[in-house]
Structures are given as structure tokens and as C-alpha cells.
């Protein structure tokens, strides 16, 4: 009877742990999706599609396909990172070193997020550190202009556009992604369900992005979207800092 009670208690602890970890992954994905880097690019895309005379229904269609391209790019990136960490699992010393680096990296990003929050509060957004370099922003905008004006910019072209831009921007949007994957892979109870957590993370990631295209469908202008994004940039940076440091400490 005592053994049964201990087993039942252990199972309950494991289930609670899984639920807590699941919520952590979901929240991380959502906060990553609210990243100003990603939002700024999507808003520019909506603005440019409107400039080209696309109707709201067309923008929504383009948006769904574009978002799916982003989703696939992030899934493949995450799978690659997880596969790399699994391959190194046979070398405990190297693995510990990599996780230590990820933890330090996450802590540093958390500090920079708090720095950006302070700069935002001071009204000095130009001094924020965690944003795409201007040269990369121009490159991304250039890709959008060329691809959306191309006669071949159909469904496949739009999907590839989302895929390419997601890979291009991973230097900025991956600030939460990498620590989260490191967090998943360091916990044995999560590794078993690693791919499921990866998919759920990315579903949460694309929800805010898809929301922008839905808003455009209902007539919300890109100017209004940009204003709302700018208004809440500080809050997102603060939440990102708290989350990343939490993942790094874990």
C-alpha cells in the first residue's frame, strides 16, 4: 500500500511538472511572437500590400500563407537545434558547457531587454539594443518589395517570402527561442515530448503575427498597428527580460 501511495504521489508530481513546463513554453512562444522585430516586418508587409492596391481579403490570404512560411522555418530551425543538442548528449562535458553558454547568453539577453525597457521609458528607442540592424531591416524590406511586386508572387512565392524572412530575422526573433529550446532539452521530463512542445511554441509564436493580418482584413490600418506596437514595446521588452532570465536560471 505504501509503495502504491508513493507511486501515485510521484505520478502527480510529474503531471504537475509537465503542466507547469507546458505553460512556460506556451508563454515563451507568445512573448516571442510579440517581439517588435517580427511585428515591424509584418506591419511593413501589410502596408506595402495596401500600397500595391491589394484588397483586405487578398491581404488576409497573403498573410495566412506568409505566416505558414514563418511557422515552417521556425519548426525546422528548432528541430535542427534540438538534433544538434541530442547528438552532443553522448559527451556530458561538452553538453554541460553548451548549456552553460546558453544560460549565460540568456542572462545577457535578459539584461539587454531590461536596458531596452529603460531606454523606451526615457523615450530613446533609437538606443535600444535588441533590434534588427538598420542594414538588415533595409534588406528585409527590399526582399518584401521585390517579391510582392513580382508576377510570380503567388502562393508559393508568398510562402517562400515568409520562410526566407523568418530565417533572416532569427538573429532578433530567436532571442527567446534558443533559451526555450535549451530549457526543454535540459529537462528529461520534457525531452520525451520535445517535438510537441516545439510545435506548441511555434503555434503561440505565429498567433500575434496572424492577428495582424486578421486586423488588416477588418480594416485596421498599418499606421494604427504601428502606433499600438510602439506603445507596448516597453511592456514586451520587460516581459521578455523576465522570461529570458528565468529560462537562463533554470
Amino acid at each position: 500500500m505504501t509503495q502504491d501511495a508513493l507511486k501515485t504521489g510521484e505520478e502527480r508530481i510529474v503531471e504537475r511538472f509537465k503542466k507547469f513546463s507546458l505553460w512556460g513554453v506556451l508563454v515563451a512562444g507568445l512573448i516571442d511572437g510579440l517581439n517588435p522585430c517580427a511585428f515591424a516586418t509584418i506591419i511593413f508587409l501589410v502596408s506595402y500590400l495596401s500600397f500595391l492596391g491589394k484588397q483586405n481579403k487578398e491581404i488576409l490570404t497573403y498573410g495566412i500563407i506568409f505566416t505558414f512560411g514563418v511557422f515552417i522555418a521556425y519548426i525546422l530551425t528548432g528541430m535542427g537545434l534540438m538534433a544538434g543538442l541530442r547528438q552532443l548528449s553522448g559527451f556530458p562535458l561538452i553538453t554541460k558547457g553548451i548549456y552553460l553558454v546558453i544560460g549565460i547568453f540568456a542572462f545577457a539577453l535578459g539584461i539587454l531587454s531590461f536596458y531596452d525597457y529603460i531606454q523606451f521609458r526615457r523615450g530613446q528607442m533609437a538606443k535600444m539594443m535588441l533590434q534588427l540592424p538598420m542594414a538588415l531591416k533595409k534588406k528585409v524590406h527590399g526582399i518584401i518589395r521585390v517579391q510582392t511586386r513580382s508576377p510570380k508572387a503567388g502562393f508559393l512565392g508568398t510562402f517562400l517570402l515568409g520562410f526566407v524572412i523568418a530565417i533572416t530575422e532569427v538573429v532578433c526573433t530567436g532571442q527567446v527561442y534558443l533559451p526555450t529550446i535549451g530549457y526543454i532539452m535540459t529537462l528529461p521530463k520534457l525531452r520525451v515530448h520535445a517535438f510537441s512542445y516545439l510545435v506548441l511554441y511555434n503555434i503561440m509564436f505565429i498567433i500575434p503575427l496572424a492577428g495582424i493580418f486578421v486586423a488588416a482584413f477588418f480594416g485596421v490600418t498599418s499606421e494604427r498597428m504601428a502606433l499600438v506596437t510602439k506603445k507596448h514595446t516597453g511592456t514586451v521588452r520587460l516581459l521578455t527580460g523576465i522570461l529570458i532570465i528565468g529560462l537562463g536560471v533554470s
Side-chain angles (χ1 to χ4, degrees):
M1 185 68 179
T2 305
Q3 291 295 328
D4 290 340
L6 286 173
K7 186 177 180 180
T8 302
E10 183 180 346
E11 289 175 353
R12 286 179 180 174
I13 289 172
V14 170
E15 285 304 313
R16 287 178 184 176
F17 174 79
K18 286 180 179 178
K19 288 179 181 179
F20 174 78
S21 302
L22 174 61
W23 279 108
V25 171
L26 293 177
V27 170
L30 182 61
I31 291 177
D32 196 11
L34 293 171
N35 191 312
C37 296
F39 259 40
T41 299
I42 302 298
I43 291 172
F44 178 82
L45 175 59
V46 170
S47 175
Y48 201 70
L49 288 172
S50 299
F51 172 75
L52 293 177
K54 304 294 183 183
Q55 301 300 311
N56 292 355
K57 188 176 180 180
E58 290 180 285
I59 293 176
L60 180 60
T61 303
Y62 273 97
I64 292 171
I65 298 169
F66 178 91
T67 303
F68 185 63
V70 172
F71 178 78
I72 295 299
Y74 257 66
I75 285 287
L76 293 178
T77 301
M79 288 174 63
L81 290 171
M82 283 183 172
L85 291 173
R86 279 200 186 97
Q87 289 294 322
L88 293 171
S89 61
F91 305 92
L93 191 60
I94 295 176
T95 303
K96 287 181 180 178
I98 290 174
Y99 286 136
L100 178 61
V101 170
I102 291 175
I104 294 172
F105 177 69
F107 188 79
L109 287 176
I111 295 299
L112 288 176
S113 291
F114 290 137
Y115 172 83
D116 284 355
Y117 172 71
I118 293 171
Q119 296 306 316
F120 176 82
R121 297 290 295 178
R122 291 176 176 174
Q124 299 178 331
M125 292 184 68
K127 293 184 177 181
M128 292 171 67
M129 302 291 290
L130 298 178
Q131 56 181 324
L132 283 177
M134 185 54 67
L136 194 52
K137 285 182 183 178
K138 290 181 179 179
K139 185 174 182 62
V140 169
H141 290 178
I143 292 172
I144 290 174
R145 289 191 185 97
V146 171
Q147 292 300 319
T148 51
R149 296 186 69 152
S150 171
K152 299 180 181 179
F155 290 164
L156 179 59
T158 305
F159 171 83
L160 292 175
L161 178 63
F163 189 94
V164 170
I165 287 179
I167 297 298
T168 305
E169 290 192 336
V170 76
V171 64
C172 184
T173 56
Q175 295 158 8
V176 177
Y177 201 25
L178 177 59
T180 302
I181 289 175
Y183 171 70
I184 292 172
M185 298 305 290
T186 54
L187 300 174
K189 298 298 181 184
L190 288 188
R191 275 190 214 168
V192 181
H193 307 283
F195 183 72
S196 299
Y197 280 107
L198 186 69
V199 171
L200 289 172
Y201 178 99
N202 282 283
I203 288 173
M204 297 303 292
F205 175 77
I206 64 170
I207 285 175
L209 306 186
I212 290 181
F213 293 107
V214 173
F217 175 75
F218 285 105
V220 180
T221 64
S222 56
E223 290 80 7
R224 177 62 180 168
M225 295 178 194
L227 185 64
V228 172
T229 300
K230 183 178 179 180
K231 181 180 178 180
H232 295 287
T233 294
T235 303
V236 173
R237 287 301 188 207
L238 180 61
L239 292 174
T240 301
I242 294 171
L243 175 65
I244 293 178
I245 287 182
L247 291 172
V249 171
S250 301

